[in-house]
Amino acid sequence: MPDAFTPPPPGEPIPAPGPSDAAAPRLPDPPDDGRIYVDPAAPITVHSAAAAPTGEQLVAYAMTLRGTARGRVRENVNDFTQWYYGDNTAASWCLIFVCWCFNHFGALHLLGGKIAYVPSLKSRVGSKWHTDRKLIARGDPVTFDFNRSGEPEHVGFFVTWLDSGRTTFESIEGNTGNDQVATRTRHWSDVYGFVKPGLAASDPSRYPGVIYRYVAGAMMHDAHVKWIQQRLGAHKHPVTVDSYYGPATAAAVTAFQKGAHLSADGEVGPKTWAALAD
């Protein structure tokens, strides 16, 4: 859980209550990729203030918060706003959600501390602010100017590109739609800019919070799967190292789990991950 309450910066403007992306076009949500991103029971490493999470870790944690705002009292008063303001202040909370996720990893310093007012983010982060889409990566906070006002009014986390031309992408956001945390499909043409906060490099050997399983027609595919396959080989359950979590990898995981006296379900959660790492 986040740290104990610390007050927001004095004099910071309070964002007006209401969904902060209300003027955004109603685009379809990204296609379901078949993942259950995070095992809710899995411990997530909380870093010291001197460290930084990876983009994969930030997104994985944000995905666990999908749904209505947790502990909602009324619109725009919820666990996130109460953590930020320390009372029942009603305010837009898209940037508060971003701060909450960084705080989970003890990494609020990467944003310069708590901040709720999206138009102030650019000046807050200074040289970490960027607009070149070639630089954006998973976990970077990305801001939107839907109404072309010349300043941003909404923010979320960049997840992944949805097309080869890099015109649409998936994001995970707070205070979106009906006062929720949700994934969204966004157009780059609505982007105002984004933050490169200084996240840690991806580490395939670090458990990212994702439950890896075989999903027919939508095989999970990333560097962590490659690590799993390599570790299976090291434990004498060799499979083709192709970074795709297919049926052969699932079968090898099941065989490994039986030998390690784990639940033989063919899925790699925190316990199986730890055993593979040994």
Side-chain angles (χ1 to χ4, degrees):
M1 290 299 293
D3 296 338
F5 172 73
T6 56
E12 182 185 57
I14 297 176
S20 53
D21 65 344
R26 297 296 90 188
L27 301 173
D29 283 343
D32 184 357
D33 62 7
R35 293 190 185 203
I36 296 177
Y37 282 83
V38 174
D39 178 355
I44 298 178
T45 300
V46 177
H47 295 255
S48 71
T54 66
E56 288 83 358
Q57 285 180 306
L58 268 173
V59 168
Y61 176 65
M63 290 289 184
T64 68
L65 303 173
R66 283 180 294 182
T68 56
R70 304 190 322 150
R72 182 168 57 182
V73 178
R74 63 178 186 276
E75 296 294 311
N76 300 291
V77 177
N78 49 52
D79 284 2
F80 306 114
T81 58
Q82 290 171 339
W83 165 73
Y84 191 90
Y85 293 107
D87 55 27
N88 288 334
T89 298
S92 289
W93 49 275
C94 55
L95 186 49
I96 293 173
F97 171 71
V98 169
C99 288
W100 172 291
C101 293
F102 273 88
N103 187 64
H104 177 78
F105 294 96
L108 258 177
H109 63 287
L110 297 179
L111 297 178
K114 281 183 173 180
I115 182 171
Y117 191 57
V118 179
S120 296
L121 182 59
K122 179 180 178 180
S123 60
R124 161 72 74 84
V125 300
S127 63
K128 295 180 178 181
W129 185 262
H130 296 275
T131 57
D132 185 348
R133 75 183 75 186
K134 295 190 296 292
L135 299 177
I136 199 167
R138 195 177 187 91
D140 288 343
V142 56
T143 67
F144 304 94
D145 180 12
F146 298 119
N147 58 17
R148 305 301 189 265
S149 65
E151 64 179 22
E153 63 271 359
H154 189 59
V155 64
F157 287 106
F158 179 87
V159 178
T160 189
W161 291 108
L162 295 175
D163 67 328
S164 59
R166 297 186 177 185
T167 61
T168 58
F169 60 94
E170 180 182 356
S171 62
I172 174 76
E173 306 165 7
N175 203 181
T176 189
N178 186 25
D179 198 35
Q180 297 185 60
V181 175
T183 55
R184 307 289 282 174
T185 297
R186 296 301 189 194
H187 284 299
W188 185 260
S189 58
D190 290 320
V191 169
Y192 180 82
F194 59 93
V195 183
K196 298 292 295 180
L199 301 177
S202 298
D203 181 358
S205 68
R206 176 188 290 174
Y207 179 63
V210 176
I211 298 177
Y212 284 91
R213 54 164 61 87
Y214 170 56
V215 180
M219 288 190 292
M220 301 177 75
H221 171 58
D222 62 21
H224 295 291
V225 177
K226 181 178 180 180
W227 181 88
I228 290 169
Q229 292 169 330
Q230 291 170 333
R231 295 306 302 162
L232 285 168
H235 284 280
K236 304 188 186 308
H237 296 280
V239 293
T240 300
V241 180
D242 59 4
S243 303
Y244 284 91
Y245 203 98
T249 297
V253 168
T254 300
F256 168 76
Q257 289 170 325
K258 289 178 180 177
H261 307 290
L262 297 167
S263 178
D265 56 10
E267 300 178 359
V268 179
K271 292 181 180 179
T272 301
W273 187 283
L276 284 169
D278 287 342

